[in-house]
Amino acid sequence: MTRQFCNGVGAVAKVRLFYRRKICYWLIVSVMILMTLNPSLQVIAKESVSDDLTVYTDAGESLELYARSAVLMDGDSGRILFEKNGSDPRPMASTTKIMTCILALEASDPSRKITVSSQAASQPKVHLGMTEGQSFYLKDLLYSLMLESHNDAAVAIAEGIDGSVEAFAQRMNQKAEEIGCKNTYFISPNGLDAQDSQSNHHTTARELALILRYCIMVSPQREAFLKITRTMQYSFQDCEKNFFYSCNNHNAFLNMMEGALTGKTGFTADAGYCYVGALQRDDRTFIVALLACGWPNNRNYKWMDTKKLMTYGLENYVYRDFQVKAAPHFVLIQNGIENKMNYPSSDPVRLEVRANTEPFRLLMNQKEDISIRYYLTDKVHAPVRENTRLGIMKCYLGDEVIREFPLVATKTIAKRTLKTCFDYAILKYINKTD
């Protein structure tokens, strides 16, 4: 009797096990059939964000100047506020020496002794009048370079730091490239008209302004540069104390306008009169660069143009504060699932993105305003983690990008796989049987 009872119980258990296996088998077959009929449910190996982008969009003055090329730059941001043929390559004469000065300050100790070579001593006017074999401290030669624009001082500095003018010119071109200059080529440290097998000695008004911006706003030696170029008079001797020299600053702009900060003049037969200078007033810094600003007898054209551009900047540009907020935008996540308890639909998941913005200031005139454009990934495949970058929000001033903020996922979206579909089917079955 007991044996028959046990056999009966065992038979019931075997039946239950048989049906459970049958149910699981048909569940798996059903999921596989569903995935076959609906390709969007197939497991996709690619998990990275697509490079395809879809763009969403939110809703010059005229000045008469003598210079053939001119630029007014915002010293803080580097933005061009006004230009006239600002990208035209032209020789820049002794404005070259701002690069010579800043590189010397960055590369060597001002107390270093430099011995004059025959090449340095043979440089044409304007020159200090040094002779071969003389020794000078680098610091003194930098004042000679920037206040009086001595050509022999420039060559002596270049040779003292890198051994030759050619090697120093290579350093100058490398620094120009680092700063962002793409149409500047240095042959000499003094800016005399020159040409080699590659090109002539040249820059553009845009890039000359960019170089001065580096000198006064970016370089670790900016304070030393400003101290030298703002000095009105300087006296020194050679290392042997055999000769006495006196230098006067020829940057007349320093006494022309309140806030005049620094600058460098230049002239050659090819370049004409050139000038690059900066003014700082209140919390604004303006940089002016002029190339081919007249020839003899028009040496005062550069001062007239500089004052006109600086006045234009002061009268028209003020700082405005911005705190931009991103409008709601969504990205469709392919093959994603938000909640395992919900039906894993084949439809893409709609995921909101956000931009973590920070307040910023812009030097602008009254006619300008910023516009915002959203660049979002067109095809995104799950999984996607919260804070994953899915696009970018760009703030434009005209055609120029002035700020960028990443657009990131607001939450995590898991990938829909065979396992998630199967888990759902099991949960659905259990809930139904309960």
Side-chain angles (χ1 to χ4, degrees), residues 31-32 34-48 334-337 344-346 380-383 414-422:
V31 170
M32 294 180 69
L34 180 62
M35 292 178 69
T36 302
L37 295 175
N38 195 338
S40 65
L41 286 177
Q42 295 180 14
V43 178
I44 300 175
K46 183 179 179 182
E47 298 181 5
S48 59
Q334 301 288 337
N335 210 33
I337 179 172
S345 170
S346 61
V380 183
H381 296 275
K415 179 193 285 188
R416 182 176 54 248
T417 63
L418 177 61
K419 183 178 184 305
T420 58
C421 292
F422 183 75

Side-chain angles (χ1 to χ4, degrees), residues 22-75:
K22 281 286 187 180
I23 290 171
C24 289
Y25 170 80
W26 285 111
L27 282 172
I28 293 173
V29 170
S30 299
V31 170
M32 294 180 69
I33 293 173
L34 180 62
M35 292 178 69
T36 302
L37 295 175
N38 195 338
S40 65
L41 286 177
Q42 295 180 14
V43 178
I44 300 175
K46 183 179 179 182
E47 298 181 5
S48 59
V49 173
S50 168
D51 291 330
D52 298 331
L53 295 179
T54 302
V55 182
Y56 299 84
T57 306
D58 284 349
E61 296 285 339
S62 177
L63 294 174
E64 293 185 4
L65 301 171
Y66 292 107
R68 294 182 180 177
S69 293
V71 151
L72 174 67
M73 174 184 283
D74 170 18

Side-chain angles (χ1 to χ4, degrees), residues 11 21 53 55 70 84 116 181 190 199 202 222 251 273 283 305 323 326 334 370 417 429 434:
R21 287 177 176 175
L53 295 179
V55 182
K84 173 186 176 182
V116 179
C181 300
N190 51 29
S199 183
H202 70 269
R222 56 189 178 275
N251 181 14
Y273 290 109
D283 54 354
D305 280 1
Q323 175 67 72
Q334 301 288 337
I370 65 170
T417 63
Y429 170 74
D434 289 346

Side-chain angles (χ1 to χ4, degrees), residues 240-304:
E240 296 78 20
K241 299 189 182 303
N242 292 327
F243 297 92
F244 185 86
Y245 303 91
S246 181
C247 299
N248 295 300
N249 197 325
H250 289 267
N251 181 14
F253 177 66
L254 292 176
N255 296 316
M256 286 184 181
M257 295 185 72
E258 178 188 352
L261 190 62
T262 185
K264 183 70 187 76
T265 59
F267 174 81
T268 65
D270 288 347
Y273 290 109
C274 304
Y275 183 68
V276 59
L279 177 145
Q280 196 170 65
R281 189 180 296 182
D282 303 323
D283 54 354
R284 298 168 294 173
T285 301
F286 297 102
I287 296 173
V288 164
L290 307 171
L291 298 176
C293 193
W295 274 259
N297 296 310
N298 304 121
R299 65 171 57 244
N300 288 327
Y301 281 0
K302 61 183 179 290
W303 305 129
M304 298 167 68

Side-chain angles (χ1 to χ4, degrees), residues 201-251:
H201 189 91
H202 70 269
T203 189
T204 68
R206 272 179 171 260
E207 295 186 0
L208 182 59
L210 191 63
I211 293 170
L212 183 61
R213 179 177 180 269
Y214 174 80
C215 293
I216 65 173
M217 307 294 288
V218 181
S219 171
Q221 293 295 327
R222 56 189 178 275
E223 293 299 330
F225 178 90
L226 286 172
K227 180 180 179 181
I228 292 171
T229 57
R230 289 173 59 83
T231 299
M232 299 310 297
Q233 293 182 325
Y234 186 79
S235 299
F236 63 96
Q237 293 179 285
D238 57 357
C239 293
E240 296 78 20
K241 299 189 182 303
N242 292 327
F243 297 92
F244 185 86
Y245 303 91
S246 181
C247 299
N248 295 300
N249 197 325
H250 289 267
N251 181 14

Side-chain angles (χ1 to χ4, degrees), residues 333-345 347-349 382-383 412-417 420-421 424:
I333 310 298
Q334 301 288 337
N335 210 33
I337 179 172
E338 291 188 79
N339 190 332
K340 290 183 179 180
M341 295 300 295
N342 296 328
Y343 177 70
S345 170
D347 296 332
V349 175
T412 296
I413 301 296
K415 179 193 285 188
R416 182 176 54 248
T417 63
T420 58
C421 292
Y424 168 80

Side-chain angles (χ1 to χ4, degrees), residues 94-145:
S94 287
T95 58
T96 296
K97 290 165 182 165
I98 64 173
M99 179 67 92
T100 303
C101 181
I102 200 65
L103 288 181
L105 289 169
E106 292 179 353
S108 190
D109 188 335
S111 63
R112 178 178 181 174
K113 288 185 179 182
I114 292 179
T115 301
V116 179
S117 70
S118 59
Q119 181 178 0
S122 65
Q123 294 299 302
K125 291 183 178 180
V126 177
H127 56 212
L128 180 64
M130 55 179 63
T131 58
E132 182 180 359
Q134 266 188 298
S135 294
F136 293 88
Y137 293 110
L138 174 60
K139 174 185 176 181
D140 296 331
L141 290 181
L142 290 176
Y143 281 94
S144 169
L145 175 80

Side-chain angles (χ1 to χ4, degrees), residues 74 77 79 317-326 356-372 393-398 400 402-405:
D74 170 18
S77 68
R79 188 167 73 92
Y317 285 87
V318 295
Y319 272 105
R320 291 169 58 186
D321 295 316
F322 290 91
Q323 175 67 72
V324 295
K325 294 183 179 180
N356 297 323
T357 62
E358 297 177 353
F360 59 91
R361 305 176 72 210
L362 281 180
L363 192 65
M364 303 170 60
N365 64 37
Q366 293 181 348
K367 299 179 181 179
E368 294 176 315
D369 205 351
I370 65 170
S371 61
I372 298 175
M393 182 179 78
K394 295 184 178 182
C395 301
Y396 286 82
L397 192 56
E400 185 177 356
I402 43 89
R403 285 295 187 281
E404 295 183 359
F405 300 102

